[in-house]
Amino acid sequence: MRRENAVVTARGKNPTVSLLFWDVALPLAAYYGLRLAGQSEQVSLLAGAVLAACRIAWVAIRDRSFDGFAALLAGVLGVGLVLSLVTGDVKFLLLKESFATATAAIVLLVSCFGRTPMVLVAVRAGAGAAKRAEIDRLSDEVPAFRRAFTRMSAVWGVVLLLEAVVRVPLVYLLPADVMNALSVVLLLAVIGVLSLWSVRYAEKVLKKHTVAA
């Protein structure tokens, strides 16, 4: 009998979907939700960072492993929090998200040169015990499996870096109030597209290599 697909089954959740919800969507929803509710930027950033930190602690306690993607987002929100305390003209304040996004992009790209690219670490952290074991096995035994997640990390890194670069001329070309709204839309659109692509691509990779095993 063919080995049961322990990574993507009807009985279990897709680890990439879990990753995107807990590590990305929830902290960002806290940040933007509080901003829409009228809270200060500092309070909103702190809330998102605290949620990401709680996720790191939960994964560490539950699985005795490190949730790199939650740590990355906590770092991005932390950079934004620090920069929000820096006084400057309105253009500089609008550029702060570029600094934070570029930080995340660089971390993702650097992880591609190691054995554990950031997206692979994150997907593993979002999986259950059986799925983590299968991911570990495939990562050790199938180089193409690990390369696929290196590719995913590289795509996230490059796209986020491009988003950070594109934001810079827009800050100086558009009125501040327009750019303030566009900045949110731009970041959410980029993350949304990357997330949809990641779910489909990761599921395809996991299914392909598990079935082939």
Side-chain angles (χ1 to χ4, degrees):
M1 181 180 293
R2 177 177 293 174
R3 178 192 296 269
E4 178 187 3
N5 189 332
V7 177
V8 184
T9 68
R11 295 180 301 172
K13 60 188 178 183
N14 186 307
T16 311
V17 175
S18 177
L19 151 73
L20 294 172
F21 177 77
W22 293 107
D23 290 0
V24 179
L26 200 59
L28 288 180
Y31 169 68
Y32 287 113
L34 287 172
R35 289 293 285 155
L36 290 173
Q39 292 296 323
S40 69
E41 185 173 17
Q42 288 82 6
V43 169
S44 303
L45 285 166
L46 182 60
V50 167
L51 278 178
C54 288
R55 169 67 175 171
I56 296 169
W58 167 248
V59 171
I61 294 170
R62 183 193 66 181
D63 305 328
R64 296 182 180 179
S65 62
F66 180 67
D67 189 340
F69 219 81
L72 177 62
L73 188 54
V76 168
L77 293 170
V79 169
L81 180 59
V82 171
L83 291 174
S84 72
L85 302 175
V86 178
T87 58
D89 62 28
V90 66
K91 299 295 185 181
F92 173 79
L93 295 177
L94 287 171
L95 284 174
K96 68 183 184 301
E97 290 188 13
S98 285
F99 290 112
T101 305
T103 300
I106 291 169
V107 172
L108 281 157
L109 291 172
V110 169
S111 75
C112 295
F113 296 96
R115 182 172 176 80
T116 51
M118 185 62 72
V119 174
L120 178 59
V121 173
V123 169
R124 185 186 182 282
K131 294 174 185 177
R132 287 196 305 275
E134 186 68 4
I135 289 171
D136 288 343
R137 183 188 68 80
L138 290 170
S139 181
D140 290 337
E141 298 177 4
V142 185
F145 175 82
R146 192 168 57 252
R147 285 197 299 270
F149 281 90
T150 298
R151 190 175 302 116
M152 288 181 67
S153 299
V155 169
W156 271 81
V158 169
V159 173
L160 287 177
L161 191 59
L162 288 174
E163 189 270 346
V165 171
V166 167
R167 186 190 302 274
V168 175
L170 291 179
V171 165
Y172 289 96
L173 290 173
L174 299 175
D177 55 345
V178 173
M179 187 57 204
N180 192 41
L182 181 60
S183 180
V184 175
V185 174
L186 183 62
L187 181 60
L188 291 180
V190 168
I191 291 179
V193 171
L194 283 172
S195 298
L196 289 173
W197 172 76
S198 296
V199 169
R200 294 182 179 180
Y201 186 75
E203 182 175 347
K204 178 180 177 181
V205 170
L206 292 166
K207 188 178 296 184
K208 171 185 175 182
H209 289 291
T210 302
V211 170

